[in-house]
């Protein structure tokens, strides 16, 4: 008698649970992400025991321990996953349970990685680009595919309901070339963009239907660039203290990327390709910081929260190593450690993508608010 009651309850719950999930499915079944440290949730940290994302201040605001992310908390990709009711994406390298771990998406992003393959950076002194370029990340996806779905039908149906995010990537290609002139950097942009286009096309050929291609951030406002490229000429800076030449370079990069998205759309009219305007989404934070909860001081707002000395609180010492300090309230600053944003900045950027107006066209409506 007892047993039959238990069965009855289990059956009822199971039925009701299925009924709810069928009536109200999530907009995306899974998210697959490719990129660099701005979206790496643990791949580089898995490979290297002592890299920065394992130092104590990393993760301190949200995870309360270094979480393999190069920030004090969540990244844009984490806020996107939350808004769409999905778990934080597991890092590809750290997957243990197949298929359970990978059903709702996988993150292939790798800190330090580049749009172009590592061979393009071999001759540059002082630069050691990781081998995990965008092409390598795509190869990981191909390798994992037989575990994601079995037949073409199964893959098509799964990928049709998944979101594929290709980038941001290319920022490191520029970082590794900082010894070059802006003109030399500009000449390298078309090849970087071609690589992003190639991977996006290849994913569509694998069955992806809805894809996001983010542009790049305003690097002229990036604390690492500001401290490495200090200029004595006032006219090199805009009214917000950002380096005009590097922002103009990124505007060029993003224009090229948007053009290449148009060619992908022509080739694959059935695909939906969303452009994330990281540039303007992030730039507004520097323009009216107080509107987004940051400090309003025009000099302080450009400094890193966690770092060493110098005009930007950022030098050769990495956040978390001796001779560095952490600011008292990371939620008041845009920059975390020089190259990377704080969780507070990533949250505002993610809001601008999910709630608008910085996604073109917008994603499917998100069932949850970013909080
Ligand atoms: C790997 O995943 C486990 C849990 O699944 C987590 O505790 C650990 O921190 C992860 N490692 C890295 C390097 O991200
Ligand atoms: C993009 O793909 C084309 C065609 O396969 C290839 O010739 C080209 O080298 C690729 N470009 C990059 C940057 O990977
Ligand atoms: C920290 O700074 C002091 C004083 O400049 C220097 O002597 C020391 O070597 C630095 N520590 C590290 C780990 O670089």
């Amino acid at each position: 008698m007892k047993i039959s009651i238990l069965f009855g309850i289990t059956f009822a719950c199971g039925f009701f649970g299925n009924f709810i999930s069928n009536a109200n499915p999530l907009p995306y079944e899974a998210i697959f992400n490719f990129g660099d440290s701005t979206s790496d949730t643990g791949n580089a940290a898995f490979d290297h025991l002592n890299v920065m994302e394992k130092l104590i201040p990393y993760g301190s605001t949200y995870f309360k321990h270094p979480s393999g992310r190069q920030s004090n908390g969540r990244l844009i990709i984490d806020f996107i996953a939350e808004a769409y009711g999905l778990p934080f994406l597991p890092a590809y390298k750290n997957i243990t349970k197949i298929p359970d771990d990978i059903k709702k998406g996988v993150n292939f992003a790798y800190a330090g990685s580049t749009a172009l393959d590592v061979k393009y950076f071999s001759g540059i002194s002082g630069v050691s680009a990781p081998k995990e370029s965008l092409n390598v990340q795509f190869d990981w996806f191909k390798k994992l595919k037989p575990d994601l779905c079995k037949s073409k039908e199964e893959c098509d149906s799964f990928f049709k309901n998944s979101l594929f995010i290709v980038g941001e990537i290319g920022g490191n290609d520029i970082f590794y070339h900082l010894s070059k002139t802006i003109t030399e950097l500009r000449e390298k942009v078309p090849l970087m963009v071609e690589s992003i286009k190639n991977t996006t096309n290849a994913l569509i050929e694998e069955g992806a239907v809805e894809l996001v291609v983010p542009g790049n951030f305003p690097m002229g406002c990036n604390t690492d660039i500001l401290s490495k490229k200090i200029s004595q000429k006032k006219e090199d800076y805009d009214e917000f203290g950002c380096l005009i030449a590097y922002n103009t370079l990124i505007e060029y990069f993003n224009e090229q990327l948007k053009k290449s998205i148009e060619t992908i759309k022509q080739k694959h009219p059935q695909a939906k390709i969303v452009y994330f305007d990281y540039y303007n989404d992030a730039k507004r934070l520097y323009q009216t910081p107080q509107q987004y909860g940051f400090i309003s001081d025009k000099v302080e707002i450009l400094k890193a929260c966690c770092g060493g000395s110098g005009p930007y609180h950022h030098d050769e010492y990495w956040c978390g190593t001796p001779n560095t300090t952490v600011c008292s309230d990371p939620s008041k600053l845009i920059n975390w450690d020089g190259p990377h944003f704080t969780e507070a900045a990533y949250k505002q950027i993610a809001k601008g993508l999910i709630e608008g107006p910085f996604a073109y066209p917008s994603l499917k409506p998100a069932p949850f608010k970013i909080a």
Side-chain angles (χ1 to χ4, degrees):
M1 194 62 198
K2 237 182 184 169
I3 287 168
S4 78
I5 288 171
L6 270 177
F7 275 147
I9 290 169
T10 311
F11 177 75
C13 287
F15 177 77
F16 194 54
N18 280 340
F19 177 74
I20 288 192
S21 69
N22 286 343
N24 206 355
L26 291 170
Y28 302 108
E29 228 179 289
I31 299 176
F32 297 98
N33 183 71
F34 303 81
D36 59 21
S37 58
T38 57
S39 64
D40 183 355
T41 53
N43 282 312
F46 183 86
D47 279 352
H48 305 285
L49 286 171
N50 281 306
V51 289
M52 54 180 165
E53 57 268 48
K54 291 215 164 166
L55 297 169
I56 288 305
Y58 286 87
S60 53
T61 296
Y62 185 80
F63 298 97
K64 309 294 176 198
H65 62 87
S67 74
R69 290 164 175 79
Q70 295 198 354
S71 185
N72 57 315
R74 290 163 290 179
L75 312 176
I76 295 169
I77 187 67
D78 296 313
F79 288 109
I80 293 177
E82 284 185 325
Y84 286 95
L86 294 169
F88 293 142
L89 296 191
Y92 167 76
K93 295 249 168 186
N94 197 22
I95 287 165
T96 49
K97 290 191 295 295
I98 288 178
D100 290 5
D101 278 1
I102 61 177
K103 276 183 184 153
K104 294 185 174 172
V106 178
N107 194 354
F108 302 96
Y110 199 96
S113 78
T114 45
L116 292 175
D117 287 343
V118 65
K119 64 176 186 225
Y120 287 93
F121 306 94
S122 58
I124 311 172
S125 76
V127 168
S128 59
K131 63 180 185 307
E132 290 80 1
S133 65
L134 186 55
N135 268 329
V136 172
Q137 294 175 31
F138 176 72
D139 288 344
W140 290 344
F141 169 76
K142 291 263 288 192
K143 225 173 106 193
L144 193 64
K145 200 176 164 189
D147 291 317
L148 291 166
C149 47
K150 300 293 175 213
S151 62
K152 180 166 174 5
E153 289 68 35
E154 199 190 324
C155 291
D156 283 352
S157 134
F158 181 36
F159 293 160
K160 204 176 98 186
N161 293 311
S162 299
L163 183 66
F164 290 78
I165 307 179
V166 190
E168 166 279 327
I169 191 128
N172 285 319
D173 298 61
I174 293 171
F175 269 110
Y176 296 152
H177 281 112
L178 280 187
S179 59
K180 303 270 190 269
T181 66
I182 292 285
T183 311
E184 287 169 324
L185 278 168
R186 253 180 100 94
E187 286 165 2
K188 298 189 185 300
V189 166
L191 205 56
M192 299 172 196
V193 167
E194 187 180 280
S195 168
I196 299 170
K197 183 181 86 176
N198 280 4
T199 299
T200 308
N201 273 324
L203 284 167
I204 296 170
E205 280 146 27
E206 292 297 324
V209 174
E210 185 162 347
L211 304 94
V212 172
V213 180
N216 227 299
F217 296 106
M219 285 179 90
C221 308
N222 183 281
T223 306
D224 194 50
I225 304 250
L226 286 168
S227 58
K228 283 181 175 148
K229 291 285 165 186
I230 288 177
S231 167
Q232 302 310 321
K233 293 194 211 127
K234 247 189 115 186
E235 64 269 27
D236 286 346
Y237 296 92
D238 68 12
E239 58 188 307
F240 307 105
C242 302
L243 283 163
I244 294 167
Y246 286 92
N247 276 351
T248 307
L249 173 70
I250 297 303
E251 285 173 18
Y252 173 68
F253 178 101
N254 290 342
E255 284 311 315
Q256 296 298 306
L257 190 62
K258 281 191 271 185
K259 276 188 195 156
S260 84
I261 290 175
E262 290 311 312
T263 68
I264 303 168
K265 283 181 180 169
Q266 277 167 12
K267 191 169 174 194
H268 301 287
Q270 84 287 2
K272 174 182 174 185
I273 304 167
V274 176
Y275 174 71
F276 274 178
D277 184 1
Y278 279 9
Y279 182 85
N280 288 302
D281 196 353
K283 205 171 180 203
R284 70 192 168 135
L285 307 182
Y286 298 98
Q287 290 168 336
T288 52
Q290 65 285 2
Q291 202 178 315
Y292 304 99
F294 301 110
I295 55 166
S296 57
D297 187 293
K298 279 190 154 185
V299 174
E300 293 297 314
I301 197 63
L302 294 170
K303 294 186 183 177
C305 166
C306 185
S309 57
Y312 297 99
H313 190 228
H314 176 63
D315 53 21
E316 73 272 27
Y317 299 115
W318 277 112
C319 169
T321 64
N323 289 349
T324 62
T325 55
V326 188
C327 66
S328 58
D329 188 354
S331 75
K332 297 285 177 219
L333 284 179
I334 296 171
N335 188 280
W336 168 244
D337 64 356
H340 307 106
F341 291 100
T342 55
E343 177 186 82
Y346 279 137
K347 181 190 207 165
Q348 293 301 328
I349 296 168
K351 273 172 106 76
L353 304 170
I354 293 166
E355 295 166 16
F358 296 103
Y360 304 96
S362 33
L363 297 176
K364 293 179 194 163
F368 302 99
K369 277 239 169 300
I370 291 184

